[in-house]
Amino acid sequence: MKTPYKNIYNVLKLNRFIVLAVVVCALLSSTFSVWMVFNTNQKALNSAFAINTDGSIIPLKLVTQKENFRVEALAHLDLFHNYFYNIDASNYERNLEKALWLGNSSVDNLYRQKKADGVYNRLLQYSLVQKVLSIDSRISENDGSYGFTTTTIFEINRGSIIDTYELVSTGNLIMVDRNFPNNPHGLLITNYFENTLKKISDEN
């Protein structure tokens, strides 16, 4: 018995439905795949790493990293000023070497100027002890660039006399690759300048 011709339309409708279903499924599958790739890419782009004080790597989100930039910047400035100004005859070479990793040529130029002026020779000659008492830094942002102003209070122990000084320094911060343990915060001090230095007290 032959199939009536009218069933051909039903077959065509079924075929068309199947084709449409396959096309829709393919589009949905492609869309989902593209979304997965995009989502994975975004997660990768928004990921960053920080190095903890013990050397362990901590994954961070880019947003969190931006929110924590102030904390890292303050820690970087605290580290630098401690290394650069907390010195005595026994540790100044080691501390200054560490400080130079945290800044660019502006820091190195200041170090060379101090060396030429005999600052470190006097440190050795008179066994001076320069001790940092406090570090107070303020971070400012302008069009994506970061500047800072730091007030460092330190004392110089000359044996029978202890003089206390206030140093105000300024500069900028830029992001660089982390280099543990030399530069754990991934920041670099640029345009560093000692603005003012004044004696605030002395003890006999």
Side-chain angles (χ1 to χ4, degrees):
M1 181 178 180
K2 296 183 179 180
T3 303
Y5 288 110
K6 62 179 180 181
N7 289 337
I8 293 178
Y9 295 102
N10 293 333
V11 172
L12 292 175
K13 288 181 181 179
L14 179 60
N15 288 341
R16 185 172 60 179
F17 173 77
I18 293 174
V19 171
L20 288 175
V22 170
V23 171
V24 170
C25 289
L27 288 174
L28 290 176
S29 178
S30 299
T31 303
F32 179 75
S33 298
V34 171
W35 178 81
M36 285 294 294
V37 171
F38 177 78
N39 190 47
T40 303
N41 184 57
Q42 286 298 108
K43 287 182 179 180
L45 290 176
N46 289 336
S47 296
F49 297 92
I51 300 177
N52 202 357
T53 53
D54 61 0
S56 60
I57 297 177
I58 307 171
L60 297 173
K61 294 295 183 182
L62 188 60
V63 175
T64 305
Q65 185 186 38
K66 187 172 182 179
E67 292 174 351
N68 290 340
F69 176 84
R70 176 181 170 81
V71 176
E72 294 227 42
L74 291 175
H76 186 84
L77 292 171
D78 187 81
L79 194 63
F80 167 76
H81 286 84
N82 265 303
Y83 282 149
F84 202 74
Y85 299 103
N86 201 68
I87 54 177
D88 57 41
S90 65
N91 70 9
Y92 84 96
E93 289 184 330
R94 182 174 64 255
N95 279 9
L96 290 173
E97 181 181 356
K98 292 178 179 179
L100 292 176
W101 275 96
L102 306 178
N104 72 345
S105 59
S106 62
V107 174
D108 184 62
N109 290 338
L110 178 60
Y111 159 71
R112 292 177 184 276
Q113 179 185 335
K114 287 178 178 289
K115 187 175 182 179
D117 291 342
V119 172
Y120 306 119
N121 284 337
R122 288 193 294 273
L123 194 75
L124 293 172
Q125 183 178 356
Y126 300 107
S127 298
L128 304 179
V129 177
Q130 186 169 294
K131 180 181 179 182
V132 171
L133 302 178
S134 67
I135 299 170
D136 179 29
S137 298
R138 297 187 302 277
I139 310 295
S140 60
E141 181 181 0
N142 184 20
D143 294 331
S145 63
Y146 297 92
F148 68 86
T149 300
T150 300
T151 302
T152 305
I153 307 296
F154 64 91
E155 64 180 20
I156 298 180
N157 189 327
R158 295 181 171 86
S160 59
I161 300 177
I162 300 177
D163 296 326
T164 304
Y165 296 88
E166 178 187 85
L167 169 70
V168 178
S169 56
T170 58
N172 299 98
L173 288 169
I174 61 174
M175 295 182 183
V176 296
D177 291 337
R178 296 177 190 272
N179 184 342
F180 186 84
N182 297 316
N183 191 335
H185 300 287
L187 296 170
L188 195 69
I189 294 171
T190 64
N191 303 319
Y192 186 69
F193 185 73
E194 293 181 342
N195 292 75
T196 61
L197 175 65
K198 65 179 181 179
K199 182 189 292 188
I200 55 178
S201 70
D202 57 79
E203 299 178 9
N204 296 321

